[in-house]
Amino acid sequence: MNDFGKGGAVPVVIVLHGGQGSAADQRERTGFDGLAVAEGFTVVYPEGTEWAPGRHAWNTGYLMRRQVGQSNDIAYLDALIDILIRDHSADPRRIYMTGGSNGGMMTLVYATKRAERLAAIAPVVGAMFSFETQPSRPLPIMFINGGQDNEVPSEGGFSRNPLVARNQVAPYKPLAETVQFWVTVNGSLTPPVTTRTGSVTTSVYRAPSDGAVTISVVDDVGGHGWPGTQARRQGNNPIQSFDGAERVWEFFETQSGTP
């Protein structure tokens, strides 16, 4: 964790790593540290359960159950937020969460169960497995996905990575259905305002007076990974058209919740 806010209650961005990552790896790859210094927010890098040396994952309930299925990550993140507010001057109205891959999935799971604790979320190259749990209130959300993502395909189903697919107990929900789920939860206005810049399509479902905004950002040529970083395996290049941390913070700083 890095406390970069100076005096008074400060916004906090909680950044969750992917299913083979770690807090240190996520800190190094995302570039949030420099942004936090420049913008005056606190950035926190929690770490999930270690399932192999140096590899950690989050218990979403549907992925890697054998490795991390006994972990109560909802309680862990609850406790983390409590500590941040109590001991680190976190503003309870400006607690934001993002994450990549398995971290994006955990962000979505936590948001459906604890929407009242968050001001906004930004799941990156993640997905949902179930629409059964309804968030307690509207919550601003921005999805970032790659159209060429084979690990978490936008059409849903099972991962095209055999290692990941073997550890799924349910298919991913399609991105379109997931966006619609949040449009309904948030009471967002339809149709969306859609813009295209290069390979990136941004669809903004605007917030009504008693709801929240829902945004979907899709890079048609982007693959799996944190936007702006180098590929970790051949043939699956992360989004290169923008910096992930900058795009996420740009969204967060325009949102404030009422938990």
Side-chain angles (χ1 to χ4, degrees):
M1 181 178 71
N2 278 328
D3 293 309
F4 295 118
K6 300 297 183 182
V10 297
V12 172
V13 176
I14 298 172
V15 184
L16 306 183
H17 61 74
Q20 296 196 57
S22 66
D25 179 68
Q26 191 74 347
R27 180 181 185 183
E28 179 182 354
R29 287 178 65 80
T30 60
F32 269 105
D33 276 13
L35 196 59
V37 171
E39 298 292 333
F41 62 87
T42 294
V43 58
V44 183
Y45 306 92
E47 193 161 78
T49 300
E50 187 173 48
W51 59 273
R55 298 183 178 187
H56 306 76
W58 302 100
N59 181 17
T60 62
Y62 298 91
L63 185 65
M64 302 182 73
R65 294 281 301 178
R66 178 176 58 83
Q67 295 91 335
V68 300
Q70 300 305 310
S71 302
N72 188 343
D73 288 327
I74 299 297
Y76 169 54
L77 293 169
D78 282 344
L80 172 63
I81 291 172
D82 288 341
I83 290 169
L84 291 168
I85 293 169
R86 186 187 69 221
D87 299 335
H88 297 279
S89 301
D91 184 347
R93 292 176 177 268
R94 292 184 292 168
I95 305 290
Y96 307 102
M97 186 176 289
T98 185
S101 191
N102 177 234
M105 298 171 199
M106 190 66 221
T107 296
L108 286 159
V109 170
Y110 189 77
T112 58
K113 296 186 177 184
R114 298 290 191 270
E116 69 280 358
R117 304 218 68 181
L118 300 170
I121 63 170
V124 177
V125 296
M128 292 181 71
F129 295 93
S130 170
F131 298 146
E132 291 182 7
T133 302
Q134 285 285 127
S136 60
R137 68 176 183 95
L139 180 67
I141 182 171
M142 180 176 69
F143 296 92
I144 296 177
N145 295 87
Q148 301 301 313
D149 190 340
N150 291 322
E151 299 264 352
V152 184
S154 59
E155 66 268 24
F158 285 83
S159 176
R160 297 193 195 111
N161 181 335
L163 176 63
V164 178
R166 285 197 299 270
N167 285 287
Q168 283 182 250
V169 298
Y172 301 125
K173 294 292 187 182
L175 176 61
E177 292 182 17
T178 303
V179 171
Q180 185 56 54
F181 170 83
W182 283 94
V183 166
T184 302
V185 166
N186 289 337
S188 306
L189 302 177
T190 57
V193 176
T194 300
T195 58
R196 186 171 178 87
T197 303
S199 59
V200 179
T201 300
T202 301
S203 301
V204 179
Y205 299 81
R206 293 164 295 168
S209 59
D210 58 347
V213 67
T214 302
I215 301 174
S216 175
V217 180
V218 178
D219 187 328
D220 289 345
V221 300
H224 195 73
W226 189 263
T229 62
Q230 297 301 307
R232 288 193 157 178
R233 65 180 180 85
Q234 188 174 8
N236 196 16
N237 296 313
I239 293 167
Q240 297 297 315
S241 53
F242 56 84
D243 179 272
E246 291 179 357
R247 189 69 175 257
V248 167
W249 175 247
E250 181 183 72
F251 170 63
F252 284 164
E253 69 176 342
T254 64
Q255 309 298 322
S256 60
T258 56

